[in-house]
Amino acid sequence: QRVGRRMAEELFDLLTEAGEPTGVRKERKRVHRDGDWHKAVHVWVLAEQERELLLQRRAFKKDSWPGRWDISAAGHVEAGSSAIDAAQRELGEELGLHLPREAFLPLFVYQQAYANTFHGKAFVNNEFDFVYLVVLREKRPLQDFQLQAEEVEEVTYARVEDVHASLRDKDPNFVDAYGVDDKYQKLFQLIRGIYEDREGSVLAKATVERTEGGQGFECSYYTNTADISHEDFEKAPFT
């Protein structure tokens, strides 16, 4: 189900290339026009039992990567907000999946420097991406997700290995802003560890909780028991 929502112009807190705050705020369109550094979040949803990742196809009217397959949910950290708040908000707004902070496992920060042309307009994306993993005990039916029409065309599940291969091979149907030939490879290494070395993985100390995940449907998720808090994760060195 796709639901339309009125979108307001976003304001971002600008950063230096080293990740230091500048004290300047700027509108989203101007940020991507000028290539200013800013914060964003990537939220990957893993269905543990099926070993599948939830993917979204970006809406065809998006100003960047229209119609391409992408992360489960992603978005910018708005001015004055935190990365974990943005992660919760994007997952709720884009997919209708509302989960508490402890469902988000902080993984790493990815420094993305990207430039391309979409719809005949230049688009520059210089951002620090705070990458999170949400692990569901089992996958939910696709029809359970309430999709934000302005952002998401559809969702699907894909095997972790297939997603890795698509990014590695630079499949033109996927967003090409993050590749598995650099630091983003860590995502798949951490997921692989869940199945190959559970005691040494990001789920080593996790417990399963059950909650309503939006639209009244319930889902079981693993809790965040990482040694780093959400607050410290956002303060961690970026490079």
Side-chain angles (χ1 to χ4, degrees):
Q1 181 182 3
R2 299 178 72 219
V3 178
R5 295 181 176 89
R6 181 175 297 177
M7 304 293 287
E9 180 70 14
E10 296 173 290
L11 279 178
F12 302 156
D13 289 317
L14 303 189
L15 306 174
T16 67
E17 191 173 354
E20 297 294 330
T22 66
V24 177
R25 292 181 173 180
K26 200 170 182 179
E27 298 88 352
R28 181 185 191 279
K29 289 183 179 179
R30 294 174 59 210
V31 166
H32 287 302
R33 180 196 67 191
D34 301 337
D36 299 298
W37 288 93
H38 56 284
K39 294 180 181 180
V41 294
H42 291 180
V43 183
W44 292 88
V45 177
L46 172 69
E48 185 212 8
Q49 289 186 348
E50 294 82 5
R51 300 193 181 199
E52 293 179 348
L53 287 167
L54 180 68
L55 302 177
Q56 67 160 269
R57 185 192 291 274
R58 295 167 66 86
F60 290 110
K61 293 183 179 180
K62 287 285 292 179
D63 63 355
S64 56
W65 303 284
R68 293 200 192 186
W69 290 103
D70 199 2
I71 304 159
S72 311
H76 297 99
V77 179
E78 296 179 357
S81 185
S82 66
I84 183 57
D85 287 341
Q88 285 183 282
R89 184 192 72 242
E90 294 297 338
L91 195 61
E93 289 182 353
E94 294 187 356
L95 303 182
L97 184 56
H98 301 279
L99 294 173
R101 291 162 65 101
E102 57 264 26
F104 294 78
L105 308 175
L107 300 184
F108 57 91
V109 180
Y110 179 72
Q111 188 171 4
Q112 178 189 146
Y114 181 90
N116 207 332
T117 300
F118 299 104
H119 304 295
K121 297 181 180 180
F123 180 87
V124 184
N125 203 38
N126 290 331
E127 62 185 26
F128 292 95
D129 300 315
F130 291 77
V131 182
Y132 297 89
L133 181 66
V134 170
V135 184
L136 303 183
R137 188 73 182 91
E138 64 280 323
K139 67 182 182 183
R140 300 300 312 171
L142 295 177
Q143 61 267 26
D144 282 354
F145 297 100
Q146 187 174 3
L147 309 183
Q148 187 177 11
E150 297 87 355
E151 300 287 335
V152 185
E153 203 68 32
E154 60 178 316
V155 290
T156 192
Y157 289 103
R159 289 183 56 80
V160 173
E161 296 82 358
D162 293 338
V163 176
H164 181 275
S166 294
L167 295 176
R168 181 196 62 208
D169 299 339
K170 302 187 186 305
D171 185 332
N173 295 310
F174 278 70
V175 168
D176 62 347
Y178 43 91
V180 295
D181 54 349
D182 56 17
K183 189 174 182 179
Y184 223 97
Q185 171 72 14
K186 188 174 182 180
L187 168 70
F188 296 94
Q189 294 172 342
L190 291 170
I191 292 176
R192 191 180 306 119
I194 292 174
Y195 302 101
E196 297 179 358
D197 180 22
R198 186 61 167 239
E199 292 305 311
S201 77
V202 293
L203 295 187
K205 303 176 184 177
T207 58
V208 178
E209 300 290 339
R210 191 165 183 84
T211 186
E212 288 191 354
Q215 288 188 284
F217 73 83
E218 291 186 345
C219 64
S220 297
Y221 64 90
Y222 284 91
T223 58
N224 170 27
T225 56
D227 293 331
I228 184 171
S229 67
H230 286 302
E231 291 72 22
D232 289 340
F233 178 55
E234 190 157 4
K235 297 175 184 177
F238 293 144
T239 57

